[in-house]
Amino acid sequence: MSSIGRTILYIFLIIAAVAVIVGAAMLIMNIVSEIPSEDTDTDGADATAADGSEGDITTELSRTPDAEGTTSDDTADGTAQDTISDDTVVLDSGNSSTDAEGVTITTYSTSLTLYALYNVNARMSYSTSSDIYFIIYKGDSVTVTGETSNGWYQILYGIYTAYIRQDLLTADASASAVVTTTYDTPVTMYTSESVNVRSGPTTSSSIYEMYSAGVEVTVVGETDNGWYVIEYGDGTAYINDDYLSETMPETTSETEAENAA
């Protein structure tokens, strides 16, 4: 065989060998890809981590949802106290989950009814740095659906799920009783805007009717959770003290127009 023939034969053999090696490598890779991975995914909650800090002072809010889930016109800017409650609530067995920051959330199998010891913040998450949803007034009842391992109750208030510090709620309704002071002399006041007239000094109390701005009322007392006691028919009713003024609103029509906007 000539030298040229041998060269061609060598090149052909080299190409054949390379093809065999490549084919074998691809076969091995295909087999390996069919083997299940030993790694498993873990689910992590995306809830906001609690900071564990104490103190929950309310900030100014313009509206508070009613227990029915609607927006009420009898909002007050309450201040949550830091007094620690001695009341204990028996943990109801239920489902638990842990968020990414290690906070365990336990959902009760049966909800509890608790009462606000003060005007307290209901927050979007279980942290004092979380945004405030609304205010729960002293004496208001709330439906508690669970608790967290860092000291918060999960509540259901109308259509809202929110969180309140455990030391600000009590199982003893009498401990959250509202104190009423009766005036020696009644005072004439006026509604500053549309507001609910209620049967009691809480947003969960039934609504008698709604007064528009500029209605004159006779105030006969006040409560320690931010409500005025007014004469109503042959008895009394309650209006949030943010919505009564000793002076008549300058332009009632403008006020009502703003509320309707």
Side-chain angles (χ1 to χ4, degrees):
M1 180 180 294
S2 65
S3 59
I4 295 176
R6 287 195 299 271
T7 301
I8 294 173
L9 178 61
Y10 292 153
I11 293 173
F12 176 78
L13 292 175
I14 292 172
I15 293 174
V18 170
V20 170
I21 293 172
V22 171
M26 292 180 64
L27 178 62
I28 293 172
M29 291 177 62
N30 185 52
I31 294 173
V32 171
S33 66
E34 296 296 325
I35 301 175
S37 173
E38 295 182 357
D39 295 335
T40 56
D41 294 332
T42 55
D43 295 329
D46 58 2
T48 303
D51 58 11
S53 59
E54 295 185 0
D56 195 6
I57 305 303
T58 59
T59 57
E60 184 177 355
L61 297 178
S62 60
R63 290 292 182 269
T64 299
D66 284 343
E68 296 84 1
T70 59
T71 300
S72 167
D73 288 313
D74 44 18
T75 300
D77 299 329
T79 300
Q81 306 298 315
D82 289 327
T83 304
I84 304 301
S85 170
D86 292 329
D87 297 312
T88 58
V89 177
V90 178
L91 175 64
D92 188 12
S93 59
N95 299 321
S96 297
S97 62
T98 303
D99 73 2
E101 300 298 328
V103 177
T104 300
I105 308 170
T106 300
T107 302
Y108 299 159
S109 58
T110 304
S111 60
L112 303 174
T113 298
L114 299 182
Y115 304 88
L117 285 166
Y118 315 96
N119 292 350
V120 300
N121 292 325
R123 294 182 179 271
M124 296 181 68
S125 187
Y126 34 89
S127 165
T128 54
S129 62
S130 176
D131 290 339
I132 299 171
Y133 249 151
F134 45 84
I135 296 172
I136 300 294
Y137 293 98
K138 177 182 178 181
D140 272 2
S141 63
V142 294
T143 299
V144 179
T145 57
E147 66 180 60
T148 70
S149 59
N150 65 332
W152 293 74
Y153 281 126
Q154 182 186 69
I155 72 164
L156 182 64
Y157 198 73
I159 62 174
Y160 299 90
T161 296
Y163 296 86
I164 296 178
R165 278 175 38 196
Q166 291 183 6
D167 59 298
L168 300 178
L169 296 180
T170 176
D172 182 5
S174 63
S176 63
V178 176
V179 178
T180 301
T181 301
T182 302
Y183 296 163
D184 293 331
T185 303
V187 177
T188 298
M189 301 186 77
Y190 305 89
T191 54
S192 57
E193 56 184 286
S194 297
V195 62
N196 291 324
V197 180
R198 293 184 178 269
S199 62
T202 69
T203 55
S204 58
S205 300
S206 58
I207 300 173
Y208 286 147
E209 64 176 295
M210 178 181 285
Y211 281 169
S212 59
V215 174
E216 179 181 313
V217 298
T218 300
V219 179
V220 297
E222 63 183 74
T223 70
D224 65 345
N225 68 331
W227 297 74
Y228 281 125
V229 186
I230 68 167
E231 290 183 352
Y232 188 78
D234 295 331
T236 57
Y238 297 82
I239 293 179
N240 191 278
D241 63 9
D242 266 6
Y243 294 86
L244 289 182
S245 171
E246 293 183 356
T247 59
M248 172 76 77
E250 292 183 2
T251 54
T252 300
S253 59
E254 289 183 4
T255 302
E256 292 177 339
E258 290 176 358
N259 291 338

